[in-house]
Amino acid sequence: MSFYLTTPIYYVNSTPSIGNAYTTVAADILVRHHRQRGEETFFLTGVDEHADKVARVAAERGLSPKEYTDSIVGAWQELPRRLNATIDFFIRTSDEGHKTFVQDFLQRIYDNGDVYQDTYAGFYCFGCEAFKSEDELIDGKCPDHGIAPEWIEEKNWFFRLSAYQDRLLQLYADQPDFVLPSFRANEATSFIAGGLRDFSISRAGQTWGIPIPWDPGQVAYVWADALVNYRSALEYARPGQELTHLWGGARHLLGKDILRFHCVYWPALLLAAGYEVPRQLFVHGFLVIDNQKISKSLGNAIDPYELIDRYSTDALRFWFARAVSFGQDGNVSRESFHERYERELANDLGNLLSRTTAMIARYRDGELTATAGAGGDLAIAIARVRDEVPAAFDVFDITVALETIWELVRALNRHVEQSQPWQLAKDEARAGELDQVLYDLADGLRAAAIALSAYIPETARQILEALRQPVDLDWDGVAYGRTGATTGIEATPPLFPRIDAPA
Ligand code: MSP
């Protein structure tokens, strides 16, 4: 079983936004979890370079598009690094391997008879990099970008999308989980059922892009170039190593803004070129502030690096998975970030580790004796994590999975309060009971750390190290009673130090 996950490749006309960071983190959480289950994983992200809007920004700066993208790509390569995202390859659409594959891909569609030449005139939104019909505009502007589209008239090469309507509907009928959440599959199928218009896969008025193999005077339309990255990367990401077998387990993660391109155009292009469609797509919602779109031009943007510098990468990763039900839109703010940091990370989790290690250090001189007992409620909470978290991950529900893990964290906190180890410590006759409580707390924390490692990998490692346990993240470790006897446990400093509330 393989789990090959992709993020959208981001436009490089500006620097990474909180929304881009959101998708990359969610993808990393998914990949890390599947890796813990022993699956073969591959994680692809990267950048979409051949957009008109990229060429325009370059021109504004007096650079050629390639000079410009070379100058900004480093800021994008830094994104997965700073998010601690365990990517396997970073694709650039200017990679030679990608360009060659795209040309071959388009040639296959041409040879298949699904490409014809026509003149197109219409409104083009440079924000979406797509033609817009008039009923998609509000007050003459693109509702997603708030800008008026420009009139374009070109002789282009068209892809016969309309010929794929039945096959696409059949695909959705045969594979009910092809697109998740299911309301997004419904959105795609109603769009398909409403009738599909052929679309242009080339641009005549532009030189920045991949030349069309049978008509090198034109370049590939940016979406017909970008979507193909998901498949092209497997051809050249690991020279000398065969990766194409991963395609059967391909999953795409994307935001709702680019649903049509991924859920309608992409499978049709693949069928036309003679490739299998991906295994699954998950369409997530948007982060919004006061129910308003986050945008640099509105001035309400939150810089992901500012949150990382102030709190930590793990705090940001946790918040992304927790603050917004994955799949839905969600309101976010610096205040809610801070509140959750204090209440959940610093108190629920951080204090639990501090108290547990402090008690083991104080009452047992840092020694943990292996005394797995019946486990009681804690064993039940651990078993729920072991069974229910993978099931939630199988439907990409990283928020529900995290809540299930947090129930274990809360059960551990209740266990401290109910068993009152500080009272047990006063009574020599109850030494066995105290050993049991300390063991169960350490064991529950160990199991929670393994399950949490997909979300907060650095914290999980710190917890396991504080408990003097091996940093073995294998999912089988999420079971009661796997903590080994050890010595040398010390009272640990806070996992999440106090930070002043945002001004
Ligand atoms: N280049 C295209 C994608 C091509 S994929 C073959 C593109 N790039 S983008 O830079 O605009 O990135 C869009 C993606 O960034 C969204 O689909 C989503 O994954 C993420 N997000 C950007 N803003 C977002 C929010 N405010 N909230 C959540 N995710 C958002 O489109």
Side-chain angles (χ1 to χ4, degrees):
M1 245 250 271
S2 66
F3 189 82
Y4 164 38
L5 191 67
T6 66
T7 71
I9 49 171
Y10 306 114
Y11 287 130
V12 292
N13 56 318
S14 90
T15 49
S17 71
I18 190 107
N20 308 140
Y22 179 68
T23 310
T24 298
V25 163
D28 188 56
I29 291 170
L30 289 157
V31 170
R32 283 183 187 260
H33 172 81
H34 282 275
R35 201 179 287 134
Q36 287 183 277
R37 284 159 62 176
E39 294 169 27
E40 182 187 20
T41 61
F42 198 85
F43 181 5
L44 180 73
T45 190
V47 287
D48 187 352
E49 297 181 68
H50 297 132
D52 259 5
K53 57 180 166 188
V54 171
R56 290 181 173 203
V57 172
E60 280 165 22
R61 305 196 178 180
L63 297 172
S64 73
K66 184 73 171 105
E67 282 168 347
Y68 168 74
T69 57
D70 284 347
S71 74
I72 200 167
V73 72
W76 285 93
Q77 285 161 331
E78 197 192 333
L79 182 69
R81 276 202 294 275
R82 296 218 57 196
L83 298 171
N84 200 1
T86 49
I87 63 165
D88 291 291
F89 191 62
F90 186 97
I91 191 167
R92 296 183 59 173
T93 51
S94 60
D95 290 345
E96 285 307 319
H98 174 72
K99 291 200 266 189
T100 315
F101 188 85
V102 167
Q103 291 191 321
D104 177 68
F105 188 92
L106 296 178
Q107 185 69 49
R108 287 167 74 129
I109 300 177
Y110 181 83
D111 293 344
N112 196 19
D114 282 325
V115 174
Y116 63 93
Q117 200 165 34
D118 201 359
T119 300
Y120 193 85
F123 285 112
Y124 189 88
C125 170
F126 284 92
C128 298
E129 293 289 356
F131 281 105
K132 294 269 153 180
S133 60
E134 289 199 33
D135 58 352
E136 287 174 303
L137 305 177
I138 298 177
D139 295 334
K141 288 181 178 167
C142 163
D144 278 355
H145 294 93
I147 50 174
E150 294 173 36
W151 184 257
I152 288 184
E153 197 169 336
E154 283 182 4
K155 199 170 193 190
N156 290 155
W157 293 100
F158 278 72
F159 169 58
R160 219 179 289 282
L161 178 66
S162 53
Y164 285 83
Q165 181 173 19
D166 292 345
R167 267 171 284 183
L168 289 175
L169 289 174
Q170 195 59 46
L171 165 67
Y172 278 86
D174 292 345
Q175 230 175 287
D177 66 350
F178 180 57
V179 169
L180 290 178
S182 54
F183 73 95
R184 296 294 182 195
N186 294 339
E187 217 176 300
T189 48
S190 52
F191 179 74
I192 299 165
L196 296 174
R197 283 182 28 193
D198 297 347
F199 68 93
S200 153
I201 53 165
S202 72
R203 294 293 312 279
Q206 205 184 314
T207 51
W208 175 232
I210 302 176
I212 294 289
W214 63 89
D215 182 4
Q218 299 205 27
V219 296
Y221 168 49
V222 63
W223 278 99
D225 156 352
L227 288 162
V228 182
N229 92 89
Y230 301 136
R231 184 61 186 72
S232 72
L234 298 181
E235 299 289 332
Y236 70 94
R238 294 279 180 280
Q241 195 184 329
E242 193 283 316
L243 292 181
T244 54
H245 69 280
L246 290 166
W247 186 245
R251 271 95 173 168
H252 303 317
L253 194 62
L254 53 133
K256 63 175 186 177
D257 54 332
I258 50 180
L259 179 145
R260 278 184 202 172
F261 294 104
H262 283 79
C263 301
V264 182
Y265 292 19
W266 178 225
L269 288 169
L270 282 163
L271 291 171
Y275 289 98
E276 298 280 321
V277 297
R279 166 69 189 85
Q280 205 163 36
L281 295 86
F282 187 90
V283 183
H284 68 66
F286 257 46
L287 305 180
V288 295
I289 292 178
D290 301 328
N291 294 311
Q292 268 200 311
K293 207 178 137 64
I294 302 179
S295 89
K296 287 176 192 165
S297 49
L298 286 176
N300 64 352
I302 300 180
D303 177 1
Y305 297 150
E306 178 200 316
L307 291 173
I308 290 175
D309 291 342
R310 190 173 166 82
Y311 296 89
S312 63
T313 294
D314 276 3
L316 179 68
R317 294 173 59 105
F318 179 79
W319 179 66
F320 277 151
R322 191 104 173 111
V324 177
S325 180
F326 196 52
Q328 309 291 322
D329 290 347
N331 255 308
V332 297
S333 68
R334 288 186 177 80
E335 291 71 29
S336 67
F337 187 109
H338 186 83
E339 191 269 333
R340 217 174 257 286
Y341 175 87
E342 284 198 330
R343 181 163 50 84
E344 298 194 315
L345 288 177
N347 292 342
D348 291 354
L349 185 61
N351 274 349
L352 177 66
L353 180 73
S354 300
R355 292 172 95 180
T356 303
T357 53
M359 290 190 291
I360 297 170
R362 181 153 169 216
Y363 303 140
R364 291 294 179 260
D365 208 15
E367 183 172 356
L368 191 69
T369 42
T371 46
D377 288 352
L378 292 181
I380 293 170
I382 294 172
R384 279 197 59 203
V385 171
R386 183 195 58 216
D387 299 337
E388 291 177 21
V389 167
F393 266 95
D394 286 345
V395 290
F396 294 74
D397 204 334
I398 62 175
T399 308
V400 161
L402 183 52
E403 173 55 22
T404 306
I405 306 171
W406 221 252
E407 279 167 18
L408 169 60
V409 172
R410 284 193 290 258
L412 288 162
N413 279 301
R414 276 198 304 276
H415 196 63
V416 178
E417 295 309 322
Q418 285 163 2
S419 60
Q420 304 212 338
W422 47 92
Q423 295 295 351
L424 299 175
K426 289 182 189 157
D427 186 350
E428 198 41 50
R430 302 183 77 183
E433 271 178 74
L434 178 59
D435 281 335
Q436 184 70 66
V437 170
L438 295 177
Y439 181 84
D440 286 353
L441 291 175
D443 191 57
L445 262 167
R446 179 197 55 80
I450 295 173
L452 284 170
S453 67
Y455 298 88
I456 46 175
E458 191 48 33
T459 307
R461 187 184 61 73
Q462 288 174 322
I463 295 173
L464 293 170
E465 285 175 356
L467 296 169
R468 298 278 187 275
Q469 298 299 310
V471 184
D472 174 358
L473 304 177
D474 195 296
W475 192 255
D476 290 343
V478 183
Y480 175 70
R482 297 283 177 90
T483 301
T486 187
T487 56
I489 294 176
E490 292 166 17
T492 51
L495 285 175
F496 298 95
R498 271 200 71 83
I499 288 166
D500 290 338

